[in-house]
Amino acid sequence: MKIIIFKEKIYSLTNQIPKGKVATYGQLARLGGKPKAARAVGGFMRTNPNAPHTPCHRVVAKDGSLTGYSAGNGISTKKTLLLKEGVIFRGEKVDLEKSLWVGVV
DNA sequence: CCCGTGACATCGG
DNA sequence: TCCGATGCCACGG
């Protein structure tokens, strides 16, 4: 029995996101068992104690809009980072149709 | 110890 | 179709 709190689970899921793909806060929340805790998920990333350990840059809003990111220049850095990993971008948003992570690989 | 807050998402009118 | 309000978890002051 491993007691793992929601927050930890979110980090765990985030670490499972394959390179070149992105997940949404709501999706992570849903996989965590709290479909309405998307806001909490964002809150965890914000105070993320695992900053370099968790690819929070692979997590975007449901629209594909890049939000948050406290590192580098913020959104700009996040966008460039995803672009380098092979994520398809559509203007200032991610093309979820092609780069949205589909649950378990 | 108590209160407020924060990188979203979804429903109703 | 657009706008407003609400829900969730954990952390900081």
Side-chain angles (χ1 to χ4, degrees), chain A residues 37-73:
Chain A
R39 194 179 208 203
V41 175
F44 303 148
M45 297 305 183
R46 174 199 180 252
T47 65
N48 78 52
N50 298 14
H53 187 74
T54 304
C56 23
H57 60 268
R58 286 188 198 151
V59 187
V60 299
K62 218 208 167 175
D63 299 71
S65 309
L66 292 109
T67 37
Y69 212 63
S70 315
N73 296 317

Side-chain angles (χ1 to χ4, degrees), chain A residues 18-41:
Chain A
K19 178 177 161 193
K21 294 260 175 176
V22 295
T24 69
Y25 296 95
Q27 188 174 7
L28 293 174
R30 192 174 313 230
L31 291 171
K34 298 338 185 178
K36 289 192 175 163
R39 194 179 208 203
V41 175

Side-chain angles (χ1 to χ4, degrees), chain A residues 1 3 18 69 75 97:
Chain A
M1 286 291 285
I3 58 161
Y69 212 63
I75 309 304
E97 294 292 314

Side-chain angles (χ1 to χ4, degrees), chain A residues 17-18 20-23 58 60 86-89 94-102:
Chain A
I17 302 175
K21 294 260 175 176
V22 295
R58 286 188 198 151
V60 299
V87 175
I88 312 299
F89 263 78
V94 179
D95 192 337
L96 299 175
E97 294 292 314
K98 302 185 175 179
S99 302
L100 178 60
W101 176 48
V102 195

